[in-house]
Amino acid sequence: MHPIARTRSDEDYMRLALGLARRGYGLTSPNPMVGAVLVKGGGIIGRGWHHYAGGPHAEIEAIHDAEARGHNPKQATLFVTLEPCCTHGRTPPCTDPIIRAGIKKVVAGATDPNPLHRGKGFKLLQSAGLKVTFGLLADECQGLNEAFNHWIVHRTPLVTVKAAMTLDGKIATASGESKWITGEKARAFAMNLRRGADAILLGINTVLADDPSLTFRGQRSEVRGQKAGVRVQGSGVEDRQPRRIVLDSMARTPLQSKVVTDSSAERTTIVVSPLAPKKRVVALEKKVRVLVAPLQGAEFKVQSSRFKVQGSRGRRSPVQHPASRIQHPKSGIHHPLSAIHHPPSTIREPPSGISLLWLLKTLGSENVTSLLVEGGGEVNASFLLGGLAHRVVFFYAPKVLGGRDSLRAVAGQGVSGSEQALNLSEVQWRRLEDDWLLTARLQ
């Protein structure tokens, strides 16, 4: 007797498409991750996924894959994780090649989240005689592109606050020592978060204490097998390291710091206030991009080294970025930054912080769909207690630091009553060797 071969279901094909879509993690922004599978005669004849922004979409990749394997996609069924696009962007609409290929049926997971386009691709395909169904594994397909779905509607990035702490909620000792609170597996998970983020944000105190590089390392991309963070010739993918955003009201970032001098310095933005000393701002502008942001609750005419912005609705005009005119040598810096010769300063942070809402709107207008906040306790509190964060990723190590002066993962003034405490939903716990990972959405 021979075992009965299991017949694949529509759900199986959609799960395959989801797996293909995930291969674009960290590479497709500001486009969504999408996967597609072509099925004909009970078998898969083509597979595809969106490799990078500006490249062919998943549906086109699947059609080309089928044809390259000698299969005719006519009368095939297309399983795709997201509604096919029907508008011109960097690439032509996908609906036209689907119709021309003679595909008879399209099974989609999620509808287009863009309110201007939602459902239009389906209607166009139906008007051409194709059978269309959607909603298969809809939650998984929508969850795949949580950041894109938020950005395309609100035009601000999805904000995730990440912190690694001890069981008593401490991120560093009173002296500032904080390295390797969690184990290797937790650090690898955190590195993968960076890989998927468009930008990483931290505060000036973290730069002064740790001199971080805020890059991801040791990852492999799925773009033609090339190493992530390296230009892929002809692919349109250039340096997929995330942008680095430093909140630095008084322009105190040392000119020798890694975010200013390393090979990714062109991807650094220092956000200062209108009160920052002009000499310090000018010195930073010679090496990195500087944004002058309004103070919280105030409206200012502000200027950056790339855009001139007036208010939150100001017009933007391109200005040549000084970083394009200079070489960025690799840093030979030694730790800690406090030991570097830097003129002593009596400058204090302004009484009102930088307008984070203005910053989020600015980043959103620059196609930043996801922002990973890796600040200290004060920065974390600003986003969490300010109602600007959407998700938290907290790592807990089986350690206790104690100490009234030890640094907390979430500081700030806190809430005045327990009824004002932040509530989390979609809470998930996961063990990473000896550490625990909490992921959740803010209600």
Side-chain angles (χ1 to χ4, degrees):
M1 295 178 64
H2 298 284
I4 299 174
R6 179 179 178 272
T7 303
R8 280 178 168 165
S9 66
D10 287 0
E11 207 171 279
D12 293 329
Y13 292 126
M14 188 61 75
R15 290 198 185 282
L16 285 172
L18 277 165
L20 291 168
R22 293 186 184 100
R23 297 188 183 187
Y25 179 72
L27 297 169
T28 64
S29 182
N31 290 351
M33 293 176 280
V34 184
V37 174
L38 268 175
V39 177
K40 185 177 181 180
I44 296 173
I45 63 171
R47 308 168 191 244
W49 71 93
H50 188 37
H51 289 259
Y52 56 89
H57 289 187
E59 303 93 321
I60 312 307
E61 291 275 10
I63 292 171
H64 289 169
D65 182 56
E67 292 172 341
R69 296 173 184 273
H71 300 293
N72 186 348
K74 189 175 182 179
Q75 295 299 304
T77 297
L78 174 68
F79 291 84
V80 60
T81 57
L82 183 64
E83 176 181 356
C85 67
C86 60
T87 57
H88 282 271
R90 294 189 185 185
T91 59
C94 293
T95 48
D96 292 348
I98 292 172
I99 294 169
R100 287 197 303 268
I103 292 170
K104 68 174 182 179
K105 182 179 179 180
V106 172
V107 180
T111 57
D112 192 329
N114 188 337
L116 298 177
H117 303 151
R118 185 181 296 131
K120 290 184 177 179
F122 293 148
K123 290 180 181 179
L124 199 154
L125 293 172
Q126 287 174 326
S127 65
L130 281 76
K131 183 177 180 181
V132 175
T133 63
F134 59 91
L136 182 62
L137 300 182
D139 289 345
E140 292 181 49
C141 291
Q142 289 172 356
L144 181 70
N145 292 298
E146 184 180 18
F148 172 82
N149 296 344
H150 173 88
W151 172 78
I152 201 67
V153 173
H154 302 284
R155 292 297 172 176
T156 57
L158 183 87
V159 177
T160 299
V161 175
K162 188 215 88 175
M165 66 194 84
T166 58
L167 290 178
D168 54 341
K170 303 299 177 64
I171 60 174
T173 64
S175 64
E177 182 184 351
S178 63
K179 202 167 187 179
W180 308 144
I181 285 180
T182 55
E184 185 175 333
K185 195 168 184 178
R187 295 198 299 272
F189 190 100
M191 196 63 63
N192 197 47
L193 287 177
R194 287 184 179 180
R195 179 180 164 225
D198 289 339
I200 302 173
L201 181 143
L202 74 164
I204 179 59
N205 290 333
T206 301
V207 173
L208 294 175
D210 300 333
D211 188 26
S213 61
L214 297 179
T215 56
F216 65 82
R217 303 171 294 278
Q219 301 288 343
R220 299 288 297 183
S221 80
E222 289 287 346
V223 181
R224 313 295 185 247
Q226 297 295 320
K227 190 175 181 179
V230 178
R231 181 186 177 99
V232 182
Q233 191 68 31
S235 72
V237 177
E238 297 182 18
D239 189 9
R240 277 301 301 163
Q241 293 290 348
R243 287 180 55 180
R244 302 177 297 191
I245 314 296
V246 180
L247 297 182
D248 182 8
S249 296
M250 303 308 289
R252 294 186 293 149
T253 301
L255 299 179
Q256 305 94 330
S257 60
K258 289 178 181 176
V259 294
V260 172
T261 60
D262 67 14
S263 60
S264 295
E266 66 212 20
R267 302 187 67 78
T268 296
T269 298
I270 310 293
V271 186
V272 303
S273 79
L275 305 180
K278 291 184 179 179
K279 287 185 179 180
R280 292 173 181 262
V281 172
V282 170
L284 286 169
E285 284 181 326
K286 291 178 180 179
K287 293 179 174 289
V288 295
R289 182 191 182 199
V290 176
L291 268 177
V292 182
L295 295 176
Q296 186 174 351
E299 291 292 335
F300 287 88
K301 182 178 181 181
V302 300
Q303 179 174 329
S304 76
S305 59
R306 185 176 294 173
F307 297 108
K308 293 181 179 178
V309 185
Q310 184 166 356
S312 61
R313 298 174 178 266
R315 295 182 298 274
R316 292 173 173 79
S317 56
V319 178
Q320 187 177 9
H321 185 8
S324 65
R325 301 193 300 268
I326 65 172
Q327 299 271 339
H328 298 288
K330 290 187 177 179
S331 172
I333 195 170
H334 298 286
H335 296 278
L337 276 177
S338 56
I340 297 175
H341 175 67
H342 191 261
S345 173
T346 57
I347 296 172
R348 297 181 180 178
E349 294 298 311
S352 179
I354 287 170
S355 172
L356 296 180
L357 181 58
W358 178 92
L359 176 59
L360 291 177
K361 289 180 178 179
T362 300
L363 294 176
S365 72
E366 297 171 4
N367 291 342
V368 174
T369 69
S370 58
L371 179 66
L372 183 63
V373 176
E374 294 193 15
E378 297 298 330
V379 171
N380 292 345
S382 295
F383 279 93
L384 289 168
L385 302 180
L388 299 174
H390 307 98
R391 281 202 165 273
V392 295
V393 177
F394 287 168
F395 300 89
Y396 291 92
K399 302 174 183 177
V400 175
L401 277 183
R404 64 175 57 90
D405 295 325
S406 298
L407 303 183
R408 297 182 293 272
V410 182
Q413 294 182 350
V415 297
S416 57
S418 59
E419 70 280 358
Q420 296 175 328
L422 297 178
N423 292 315
L424 304 179
S425 63
E426 302 176 24
V427 176
Q428 293 185 355
W429 289 93
R430 176 177 174 183
R431 188 166 182 175
L432 300 173
E433 295 178 336
D434 291 335
D435 304 317
W436 283 93
L437 166 66
L438 165 70
T439 60
R441 172 177 279 279
L442 287 153
Q443 292 184 347

